[in-house]
Amino acid sequence: MKIKVGVIFGGESVEHEISVITAAQAMAAIDREKYDVYPIYISKNRQFYSSDALLNMDTYKDLAKLEKTVPQVFFYRNKNDFMMAEMTKKLFNNKEIKLDVVLPIMHGTNGEDGSLQGYLETLKVPYGGSDVYASAVGQDKVLMKHILSDYGLPITPWFWLYSYDFNQSREKYIQKAEELGYPVIIKPACLGSSIGIYTAHNEEEFIHAVNESSLYDRKLVVEKMITHLKEVNASVLGNSAKQRVSVLEEVNKSGDILSFEQKYMGNGGGKNGSKGTPSKSAGMASASRIIPANISAEDEALVKQYAKETFKVLGSSGVCRIDFMQDMDSGKIYVNEINSIPGSLAFYLWDKSGINFTELMDALIKLAIDRKREQEKMVVSFDSNVLTHFGKGAKGAKGAKS
């Protein structure tokens, strides 16, 4: 009997469309001889839809039509089974499907940040990728940097702020930026895909960048910019017990940062955006890159060591991409950030490492099932009920009389 796999994607995020693209790539790669695949689309207003029509990219050209024609679904537990059912006014013959495992393929807020993972934990369904905690710290760059720094992994000099604190104490943060030393990079703490990221070379640009970046997140990260750098990425596959690191990639970019258009529009986009629509083959795989990275064997070994340590200390699982920066003046390598659900699931790195996309999806499904089996061995409750000690007139633990 085939394993029934639900793939969840979309969501209320500025990275909504990129999630659709990554999910389309992943679903196309899943081995249909071993698995039945059920696409589960979350609209921008957080409604769930499922139908084979979602396997066709043309369906997403008119999202309003999609929401009218594709059945809306909901989830529930039936004893030990995780069920998906269509929302309908019919009393009988409602279509129900028992799902064995779920793969969240979400980017950004409300999906990659632990929100969806918490929902799936509540329903006790096996799901792929990082758990609630690892997803949250991987999405929040402030928490992530504190953990990496505490562990001793190298990160660039930085500080963080809330946008409303900046409005009240502007001079304080201008001074901190000056102490850090221009140029600096300002980015939303909880977004990805190079959205809302700005560079500042002076006080005026810093104020403007903070105001613009604040449109995307109330918590911001300010980092010292490395002006002469090489960007190198690695993907890690596994869990806390065992990890494998992919071949490294070197990212080409024009300008101070790799833009959203460079990542997802290839050569078709520019600084001001693109009128084009990403094709099914788009995603991070379309970005300009050198594989393997042009890096010394010694530095490659160090990046892979840092990649494993970052993956483990953040509690990651599944497939992640970890981004690094090398200061070409000093040669020092820094951990930049982790992407717990990377664009295109970083399949292009694994393909160059001897694992094709179908094998990668198979590994993610197996990791999800293995984690659920491990969780079932853990003690999570006790066979006792403290409520039996309280009478009908009990006011609660704090107010009860002994």
Side-chain angles (χ1 to χ4, degrees), residues 39-88:
I40 303 168
Y41 169 73
I42 305 179
S43 67
K44 293 184 179 182
N45 61 356
R46 303 194 188 193
Q47 302 298 317
F48 290 75
Y49 299 86
S50 184
S51 166
D52 285 344
L54 297 172
L55 296 171
N56 186 343
M57 287 298 288
D58 289 338
T59 303
Y60 304 96
K61 291 181 179 180
D62 187 340
L63 295 182
K65 181 180 179 182
L66 181 157
E67 294 178 21
K68 292 179 181 179
T69 58
V70 176
Q72 196 170 340
V73 296
F74 67 97
F75 308 96
Y76 67 97
R77 283 193 65 80
N78 182 10
K79 296 183 179 179
N80 293 323
D81 295 332
F82 176 70
M83 307 297 296
M84 178 175 70
E86 290 186 5
M87 295 184 66
T88 175

Side-chain angles (χ1 to χ4, degrees), residues 47-332:
Q47 302 298 317
F48 290 75
Y49 299 86
S50 184
S51 166
D52 285 344
L54 297 172
L55 296 171
N56 186 343
M57 287 298 288
D58 289 338
T59 303
Y60 304 96
K61 291 181 179 180
D62 187 340
L63 295 182
K65 181 180 179 182
L66 181 157
E67 294 178 21
K68 292 179 181 179
T69 58
V70 176
Q72 196 170 340
V73 296
F74 67 97
F75 308 96
Y76 67 97
R77 283 193 65 80
N78 182 10
K79 296 183 179 179
N80 293 323
D81 295 332
F82 176 70
M83 307 297 296
M84 178 175 70
E86 290 186 5
M87 295 184 66
T88 175
K89 295 180 180 180
K90 296 179 182 179
L91 294 177
F92 304 101
N93 298 322
N94 293 348
K95 185 177 180 181
E96 296 178 320
I97 297 169
K98 174 183 173 294
L99 295 176
D100 299 307
V101 64
V102 170
L103 297 180
I105 301 184
M106 309 278 285
H107 300 315
T109 52
N110 305 311
E112 190 179 357
D113 57 2
S115 302
L116 178 59
Q117 289 76 9
Y119 176 60
L120 297 174
E121 288 277 5
T122 302
L123 291 169
K124 294 187 176 181
V125 58
Y127 65 92
S130 293
D131 64 13
V132 178
Y133 312 104
S135 297
V137 299
Q139 184 69 16
D140 190 322
K141 297 177 180 64
V142 173
L143 298 178
M144 177 189 67
K145 285 179 178 291
H146 280 304
I147 294 172
L148 296 179
S149 178
D150 183 66
Y151 186 78
L153 284 162
I155 58 174
T156 55
W158 71 292
F159 67 90
W160 68 279
L161 57 95
Y162 285 116
S163 57
Y164 42 75
D165 285 339
F166 181 76
N167 294 330
Q168 296 177 358
S169 307
R170 178 173 294 189
E171 292 304 319
K172 170 185 174 181
Y173 293 106
I174 290 175
Q175 178 63 32
K176 288 176 73 72
E178 291 178 351
E179 291 173 357
L180 204 61
Y182 291 111
V184 296
I185 294 177
I186 300 90
K187 62 178 70 172
C190 299
L191 283 184
S193 294
S194 299
I195 295 172
I197 300 180
Y198 298 88
T199 59
H201 299 79
N202 52 54
E203 178 180 323
E204 181 181 359
E205 290 182 3
F206 176 67
I207 295 171
H208 175 75
V210 169
N211 290 333
E212 290 297 312
S213 192
S214 296
L215 297 175
Y216 298 93
D217 198 343
R218 63 191 178 93
K219 184 159 61 172
L220 307 178
V221 170
V222 182
E223 300 171 340
K224 173 67 177 176
M225 189 172 81
I226 301 173
T227 55
H228 185 204
L229 67 80
K230 176 182 291 185
E231 294 187 38
V232 178
N233 302 335
S235 181
V236 182
L237 174 65
N239 52 30
S240 59
K242 186 177 181 180
Q243 312 85 36
R244 177 173 175 176
V245 183
S246 73
V247 65
L248 306 186
E249 66 171 336
E250 180 180 342
V251 180
N252 287 334
K253 68 184 190 307
S254 58
D256 293 330
I257 58 175
L258 184 67
S259 70
F260 179 94
E261 288 77 16
Q262 286 175 306
K263 279 186 177 181
Y264 301 113
M265 300 296 191
N267 295 325
K271 277 190 173 183
N272 298 319
S274 170
K275 294 181 180 180
T277 302
S279 68
K280 184 176 179 180
S281 61
M284 275 299 294
S286 68
S288 178
R289 62 187 76 255
I290 300 171
I291 304 176
N294 182 21
I295 190 171
S296 70
E298 181 181 2
D299 288 339
E300 178 184 2
L302 188 58
V303 167
K304 289 187 174 183
Q305 174 191 327
Y306 287 159
K308 281 189 175 183
E309 291 177 353
T310 299
F311 188 88
K312 289 188 68 173
V313 75
L314 296 180
S316 303
S317 184
V319 64
C320 299
R321 193 188 76 245
I322 303 174
D323 302 345
F324 297 86
M325 300 179 294
Q326 183 173 28
D327 187 330
M328 298 307 292
D329 293 328
S330 67
K332 188 170 183 179

